[in-house]
Amino acid sequence: MTQSPVLAESERLAVVVGALMVLLLAALDQTIVAPALPTIGAALGDLDWLAWVVSAYFLTSTAVTPLYGKLADLKGRRPTLYGAVAIFMLGSVVCAIAPSMPVLIAGRALQGLGGGGLVSLVQTIIGDVVPPQHRAKYMIHISTVWAVASIGGPLAGGVFAEHLHWSMIFWINLPLGAIAFVMIHRSLGRIPDVTRPARLDLVGAGLIVAATVAFMLALTWGGVRMAWTSPTILGLFAAAIGLGLVFARHIARTHEALIPLDVLRNPVIAVVVSALFFSMGAYVGLSVYVPLWFELGLGMQPASAGFGLLALTLGTVTGANLAGRAMAHIVHYRRFVLAGSALAIVAGTVLAVFAADLGFWTAEVVLALIGLGTGTIFPIGTVAVQNAVERRDLGVAMGVLAFVRSLGSVVAV
């Protein structure tokens, strides 16, 4: 069980608000780019590489997430978060001034190296300052930030690309990042940093980064740039499996490994990360393909199709809010998650079987129910993991959680 420092409510709120500002910075950058891609392609050319403007960010951010978790436990939350924000903002500048598509993709990869730490570190910091019995309430705010980014990001990206300049989707990160930096500098000074004298497991970090990159490249290129059975794709899958096995052998024999075996063996963590892998995959998969279904299947215009995601987003936020509030009053809150999961499965089955016969508004009701069900998993799962580990391993646990969630999104899509 983690032990939280004793803070006044106003001090705790200041820390949480600063952390949420950092989370908004990362969340917006995952949603604001997509509407501007056609404009970026027209300006820079090399349309064959346009998809990498999105893929490069997710590739690097997913790969380095566990590394940030371990760094936060060894070197402290503040310096690790400062470094992540700085790298993210540097990547934003590279993207904004990019004269060509390769430079833009390199900038996005650099952004991902910073952005990979923002999500997991925010959850770690909230776990630090909020007592276990109150954590679910604060997890509601995280879901709200993601909802704001899911709705506001695409709208802002479209406005910037159409009425200003596509580079504004990256320049906007500088004032937002500066505000976030000032807020976390002021607020995190209120809590003692958690550090311990140990060497960073660089070998383990290199192995998990290499394995993740190989796996995600195979998923990105397979069936698009190359056949699934091509030597390159099969080789990448083989490399990912081989590197993964070497990583497993390494952490079993290494003291202070990047991901300690005690964390992986924890039954709560094992169950939660598995559930979040699939639930996040379902949510992101629907977010990507439902607008296409509205356009191609129901003949809607792009703007209306994008609006159709509002039901899924609001359903998810509502589910997260209900779950967070219920945890304060229900002892066996696992039942709440099971009920939410069952609702999402039933609604998802209806969507899959009867999609051809559903009208727009009926589909919106079904999507809202799916969001309502899956939304219960996110705050309860996060709080369950936070409560299951010692504070010294909180960064690692949150890093693993963020890594699996991101990986689930990529695999599902």
Side-chain angles (χ1 to χ4, degrees):
M1 185 72 67
T2 61
Q3 298 296 322
S4 302
V6 178
L7 297 175
E9 182 63 26
S10 59
E11 294 176 321
R12 184 182 300 127
L13 183 61
V15 174
V16 171
V17 171
L20 291 177
M21 188 65 199
V22 174
L23 179 61
L24 179 62
L25 185 68
L28 275 176
D29 216 68
Q30 295 184 19
T31 60
I32 198 172
V33 175
L37 287 178
T39 304
I40 293 173
L44 300 182
D46 291 326
L47 295 180
D48 290 343
W49 291 92
L50 194 60
W52 276 93
V53 176
V54 175
S55 299
Y57 181 91
F58 281 103
L59 192 69
T60 54
S61 64
T62 301
V64 300
T65 299
L67 179 60
Y68 274 106
K70 190 66 174 182
L71 276 171
D73 284 339
L74 296 182
K75 306 302 181 183
R77 315 315 194 206
R78 274 175 285 172
T80 306
L81 187 56
Y82 293 161
V85 173
I87 294 171
F88 182 85
M89 293 174 69
L90 178 61
S92 299
V93 173
V94 173
C95 291
I97 64 176
S100 64
M101 189 66 72
V103 175
L104 177 61
I105 292 172
R108 286 289 285 168
L110 183 60
Q111 265 192 316
L113 291 177
L118 300 183
V119 176
S120 62
L121 291 173
V122 164
Q123 294 178 336
T124 301
I125 290 167
I126 292 178
D128 279 336
V129 302
V130 179
Q133 66 269 27
H134 298 305
R135 285 174 182 160
K137 180 177 69 174
Y138 285 90
M139 289 302 116
I140 296 172
H141 303 319
I142 290 181
S143 298
T144 302
V145 169
W146 280 107
V148 170
S150 298
I151 298 171
L155 292 175
V159 170
F160 289 156
E162 183 176 350
H163 299 290
L164 297 173
H165 190 268
W166 62 264
S167 62
M168 281 298 300
I169 65 177
F170 302 112
W171 286 123
I172 193 66
N173 289 331
L174 298 188
L176 291 178
I179 294 171
F181 196 93
V182 171
M183 292 181 70
I184 62 175
H185 179 71
R186 290 180 176 177
S187 61
L188 293 188
R190 304 167 188 264
I191 60 175
D193 240 336
V194 180
T195 61
R196 61 179 188 264
R199 296 179 61 184
L200 182 64
D201 180 15
L202 295 177
V203 174
L207 287 171
I208 196 170
V209 167
T212 305
V213 168
F215 183 57
M216 294 180 67
L217 283 175
L219 291 177
T220 303
W221 285 344
V224 181
R225 300 183 65 86
M226 306 171 195
W228 286 108
T229 55
S230 67
T232 300
I233 300 302
L234 294 178
L236 286 170
F237 277 126
I241 294 172
L243 289 166
L245 292 174
V246 174
F247 174 74
R249 181 183 177 89
H250 171 77
I251 64 174
R253 297 184 171 189
T254 303
H255 179 66
E256 287 290 351
L258 181 70
I259 303 177
L261 280 181
D262 289 344
V263 172
L264 296 178
R265 288 171 178 162
N266 188 303
V268 174
I269 294 177
V271 170
V272 169
V273 297
S274 300
L276 285 176
F277 177 89
F278 291 107
S279 58
M280 196 67 183
Y283 176 77
V284 174
L286 286 171
S287 299
V288 171
Y289 287 104
V290 161
L292 293 177
W293 170 50
F294 282 153
E295 290 184 47
L296 302 179
L298 302 184
M300 299 174 63
Q301 295 299 314
S304 300
F307 176 79
L309 277 180
L310 190 60
L312 179 66
T313 301
L314 292 179
T316 304
V317 174
T318 301
N321 272 269
L322 292 176
R325 298 180 189 282
M327 286 189 73
H329 306 287
I330 299 177
V331 176
H332 303 290
Y333 51 77
R334 181 180 63 176
R335 299 171 184 173
F336 203 88
V337 177
L338 292 175
S341 300
L343 175 63
I345 291 171
V346 171
T349 302
V350 170
L351 185 65
V353 174
F354 300 105
D357 303 316
L358 296 178
F360 174 76
W361 291 110
T362 305
E364 287 291 275
V365 172
V366 175
L367 287 170
L369 292 176
I370 294 174
L372 187 66
T374 55
T376 63
I377 301 173
F378 301 138
I380 290 181
T382 302
V383 172
V385 170
Q386 289 175 339
N387 292 349
V389 297
E390 297 293 338
R391 190 172 179 232
R392 67 193 297 271
D393 292 323
L394 186 58
V396 168
M398 290 296 97
V400 170
L401 198 66
F403 172 76
V404 171
R405 285 178 59 162
S406 183
L407 190 63
S409 305
V410 175
V411 171
V413 173

